[in-house]
Amino acid sequence: MTILAIDLGTTNSACAVWRDNDVVFIPNKLGEFLTPSVVGIDDKGEILVGQGAKERLITHPNMTVAVFKRLMGTSHKVAIHKTSFTAVELSSLVIKSLKEDAEAFLNSTIDEAVISVPAYFNDNQRYATKKAGELAGLRVGRLINEPTAAAMAYGLHEKKEGIFVIVDLGGGTLDVTVLEFFEGVMQVHASAGDNYLGGEDFVEAMVDAALKAHGLKRADMTPEETHQLSMKMETAKRRISGPEQLVSYTVAGTSYSSKIDTEWFNRTATPLLIRIQKPVESAVRDAGLSLTEIDEVVLVGGATRLSVVRSAVGRIFKKLPACTIDPDFAIVKGGAVQAGLVQKSAALDDLVLTDVCPFTLGVDAVDEVNGQFVEVFSPIIERNTTVPVSRVSRYYTVQDNQTEIVTRVFQGEHRKPSKNVYLGSLRSSVPRNKAHQEAIDVRFSYDMNGILDVDVTVVSTGRTYNKVIKNSPASLSDDEFNKSLERLQKLKFHPRESERNRALMARGERLFETALGEERSAIAALISGFEAVLNRQNAMEISKAQEEFEQALEQFDLEEWH
Ligand code: AMP
């Protein structure tokens, strides 16, 4: 049995397996280890996933979608051309693509996965992730918190003892987790985060700052112009520690340029860097620790390559953060270690893992204040409690002759139930009696997968009611799940063997659209030449042409900056 570890990232996804006592990263059909979390439909109505779709974000913005991880757990739909998709469906297409890559690479079928999720994901989002895996034809035996996975990647290889903090700044989310390694046992003490802070926000800030300096606004730009500027700023961000760069772009058809250097970037990034501090402090505080008690700080997530991020984190803790494992692969590596654990590999016998419940779970209760009834949120499992956990609380009737108690389950930190996330409800019958004479015991059991089991026992009759929370607003019913499955099965997929050609052509087209004059003609000639080779359908010739075409395009991508 091989379990596929999947890091389903906001920007990129990756997968790996545990084989022969080690982690094996899986290359995709383009030979790369990162697959952009982008889905599109091509001109023939076929689904494209990964680099081929990403290249078309600029040229075909209405046919391509990205960053849908942020919508997980909501019922929001995204349109690609004439078809609309939920984030679960889009994620399932990415997972399906990874599954196919792994099956092709390992030459065996895979039907089980461990998928990583941000520690801050609520139950809806966790449930949605599980469903995305199932829609892709995988049994999702376990979800693993991303920082926990990253810690496992580090823990196994360094065997450190002590308390440390994982700061994971990816494309769209920040996760901060406080962990303790002790005698081979890894325990998550606390986690906090910001679901709306990531590397992409630095790009957005760069775009805004550049436009502002020219007295321009986003509203002045066409969607294509915005995409192009964002792509250029993304490249500029990655080279920000190098020499000053000149970024040229068009706004409403007029050309502009901005000079970008490290100092400009640091200034632009400051408001975002400040936002890192709050979740760090709250996670450390929730763990009952102070910043000085942290032995080591570990950075993961692509955006931690930015030196400003490294120094901002360093300043908070007053110590240099560790970043020895490639931030793009730390999580999937840890996921594969976890998969190995599940596969009961002997090499991992001594590693035990605990996890925490990232949000407070409770029910709405009625409190009497000055003779008036007010609804309050009554926590049963406090956030950052180590899981699996089972806790019970007793609640009484509030009216004479009350025959029913409705237990409404919420997740969140607000005093008012209505301000928290509603997860579901459970009705129980109680005998008629005077107010406060009848009671129910509400037991919450929360497991490693973030699934909540609610048991209600009526104290006087002993009658029990149970509910596994499933009908949260954004989760799929079995019927909806089957409908999704049916819809996805009808989609036509781009043939795997031509995926690389497709991605190269899309890249050529993108460069053609952004280039001008002679460069443009040269790119057009390259595209036509490559197309001609494809039409001749000679495998050897195609393989050679792919290399040459790719190298030539690489040059044009680089030249844009000179
Ligand atoms: P992740 O979600 O962990 O894959 O992180 C993706 C984010 O990392 C994106 O916002 C990228 O812009 C950012 N990123 C990747 N490489 C670099 C780099 N060399 N310098 C700065 N940011 C990077």
Side-chain angles (χ1 to χ4, degrees):
M1 175 188 66
T2 302
I3 299 173
L4 188 63
I6 296 176
D7 170 9
L8 191 61
T10 312
T11 325
N12 291 305
S13 295
C15 63
V17 292
W18 182 259
R19 277 237 160 144
D20 301 328
N21 294 333
D22 207 354
V23 175
V24 178
F25 297 103
I26 311 275
N28 63 20
K29 38 215 157 260
L30 308 181
E32 282 150 14
F33 294 98
L34 284 181
T35 297
S37 308
V38 184
V39 174
I41 297 184
D42 72 6
D43 312 329
K44 288 194 233 146
E46 290 170 345
I47 295 287
L48 281 170
V49 176
Q51 191 62 30
K54 185 181 171 184
E55 292 287 359
R56 289 164 55 94
L57 268 172
I58 289 188
T59 49
H60 302 78
N62 301 329
M63 306 281 272
T64 322
V65 285
V67 211
F68 38 82
K69 182 171 173 177
R70 285 183 176 183
L71 301 173
M72 285 298 262
T74 72
S75 45
H76 192 90
K77 292 204 171 187
V78 194
I80 312 185
H81 195 39
K82 288 176 190 147
T83 320
S84 60
F85 294 90
T86 60
V88 172
E89 291 171 338
L90 294 168
S91 302
S92 86
L93 293 171
V94 175
I95 296 172
K96 183 170 182 281
S97 169
L98 298 173
K99 175 179 183 269
E100 284 170 4
D101 291 337
E103 288 178 338
F105 182 73
L106 301 169
N107 200 17
S108 65
T109 53
I110 293 181
D111 53 17
E112 185 162 352
V114 170
I115 307 180
S116 52
V117 289
Y120 226 57
F121 254 22
N122 63 29
D123 283 345
N124 284 346
Q125 293 163 310
R126 282 164 198 267
Y127 188 72
T129 306
K130 245 182 135 146
K131 285 291 154 191
E134 286 167 16
L135 275 180
L138 290 166
R139 196 169 57 250
V140 184
R142 240 213 102 159
L143 298 173
I144 179 167
N145 282 337
E146 288 166 5
T148 304
M152 290 181 80
Y154 274 92
L156 254 192
H157 294 265
E158 298 186 38
K159 297 254 180 195
K160 283 232 156 87
E161 285 196 350
I163 295 169
F164 59 89
V165 172
I166 306 268
V167 176
D168 177 356
L169 190 65
T173 52
L174 166 69
D175 278 299
V176 183
T177 306
V178 182
L179 301 154
E180 182 170 10
F181 277 102
F182 187 66
E183 291 179 353
V185 178
M186 176 159 58
Q187 175 157 4
V188 179
H189 276 318
S191 57
D194 186 336
N195 271 357
Y196 296 93
L197 180 63
E200 273 136 36
D201 298 289
F202 289 77
V203 174
E204 297 293 296
M206 290 167 81
V207 168
D208 287 336
L211 292 176
K212 196 170 166 208
H214 287 294
L216 299 164
K217 294 187 298 296
R218 275 174 191 268
D220 302 329
M221 304 174 93
T222 64
E224 285 79 8
E225 286 174 337
T226 313
H227 266 306
Q228 277 183 19
L229 179 53
S230 296
M231 289 265 293
K232 290 191 169 186
M233 287 303 187
E234 172 68 42
T235 316
K237 180 182 77 172
R238 290 175 187 226
R239 294 174 185 170
I240 206 63
S241 42
E244 181 184 271
Q245 306 169 62
L246 187 72
V247 177
S248 315
Y249 48 94
T250 57
V251 177
T254 307
S255 301
Y256 293 89
S257 63
S258 301
K259 276 192 192 147
I260 285 176
D261 62 12
T262 319
E263 203 192 314
W264 177 88
F265 178 75
N266 292 356
R267 232 181 8 246
T268 309
T270 301
L272 298 171
L273 298 172
I274 290 171
R275 281 172 59 192
I276 297 176
Q277 184 145 1
K278 206 175 142 206
V280 166
E281 285 177 349
S282 97
V284 172
R285 198 179 44 239
D286 279 355
L289 297 164
S290 71
L291 289 170
T292 51
E293 288 174 275
I294 307 304
D295 295 313
E296 195 163 343
V297 182
V298 172
L299 295 183
V300 284
T304 61
R305 288 202 177 90
L306 288 169
S307 59
V308 279
V309 171
R310 293 181 180 187
S311 21
V313 174
R315 266 199 305 276
I316 297 174
F317 289 97
K318 299 196 174 50
K319 62 165 58 83
L320 276 181
C323 33
T324 50
I325 299 178
D326 183 334
D328 284 333
F329 300 107
I331 288 166
V332 74
K333 185 173 188 174
V337 171
Q338 170 65 32
L341 252 186
V342 180
Q343 282 163 215
K344 299 225 182 338
S345 167
L348 292 164
D349 268 357
D350 58 347
L351 189 75
V352 183
L353 178 77
T354 60
D355 227 325
V356 294
C357 165
F359 278 88
T360 300
L361 294 163
V363 297
D364 65 344
V366 174
D367 227 2
E368 213 177 325
V369 182
N370 300 334
Q372 289 214 314
F373 289 131
V374 286
E375 266 194 278
V376 291
F377 177 53
S378 165
I380 295 182
I381 297 176
E382 299 276 6
R383 76 167 181 276
N384 288 327
T385 305
T386 303
V387 294
V389 58
S390 189
R391 294 263 158 90
V392 66
S393 286
R394 184 164 286 189
Y395 299 93
Y396 294 88
T397 49
V398 287
Q399 282 169 342
D400 290 343
N401 295 324
Q402 189 175 334
T403 56
E404 192 180 70
I405 298 179
V406 181
T407 309
R408 300 193 332 129
V409 182
F410 290 88
Q411 167 184 274
E413 310 307 323
H414 205 281
R415 193 174 41 84
K416 289 187 185 162
S418 59
K419 299 272 185 187
N420 292 321
V421 179
Y422 170 68
L423 295 177
S425 68
L426 185 55
R427 286 171 187 278
S428 36
S429 302
V430 289
R432 281 178 199 280
N433 209 333
K434 283 209 156 36
H436 311 299
Q437 296 303 307
E438 289 294 327
I440 53 167
D441 281 338
V442 179
R443 176 175 290 280
F444 276 12
S445 306
Y446 192 78
D447 73 5
M448 306 280 265
N449 294 316
I451 304 293
L452 177 66
D453 210 342
V454 182
D455 284 298
V456 173
T457 308
V458 179
V459 178
S460 63
T461 62
R463 192 160 167 202
T464 58
Y465 300 82
N466 169 271
K467 181 159 197 157
V468 177
I469 293 291
K470 271 193 181 152
N471 63 342
S472 47
S475 68
L476 297 175
S477 66
D478 285 349
D479 190 38
E480 281 166 326
F481 179 84
N482 289 333
K483 277 197 189 130
S484 261
L485 199 59
E486 214 173 282
R487 259 161 49 77
L488 294 179
Q489 275 165 353
K490 279 196 198 131
L491 295 174
K492 284 185 290 171
F493 287 86
H494 199 77
R496 273 184 60 77
E497 61 281 8
S498 60
E499 196 86 20
R500 186 165 180 204
N501 301 336
R502 183 71 246 184
L504 284 171
M505 286 295 285
R507 186 173 178 188
E509 276 157 24
R510 165 176 62 82
L511 285 167
F512 178 84
E513 291 208 5
T514 46
L516 293 170
E518 270 177 37
E519 254 189 23
R520 195 167 218 202
S521 320
I523 295 168
L526 279 172
I527 295 176
S528 311
F530 186 60
E531 240 171 355
V533 174
L534 291 183
N535 289 340
R536 287 200 287 277
Q537 299 183 15
N538 175 326
M540 290 271 283
E541 196 189 357
I542 290 177
S543 157
K544 192 162 162 268
Q546 278 175 341
E547 296 295 321
E548 290 167 1
F549 190 38
E550 184 158 21
Q551 274 172 18
L553 294 179
E554 193 74 44
Q555 278 308 313
F556 281 108
D557 254 335
L558 287 174
E559 271 166 25
E560 261 192 70
W561 301 97
H562 296 299

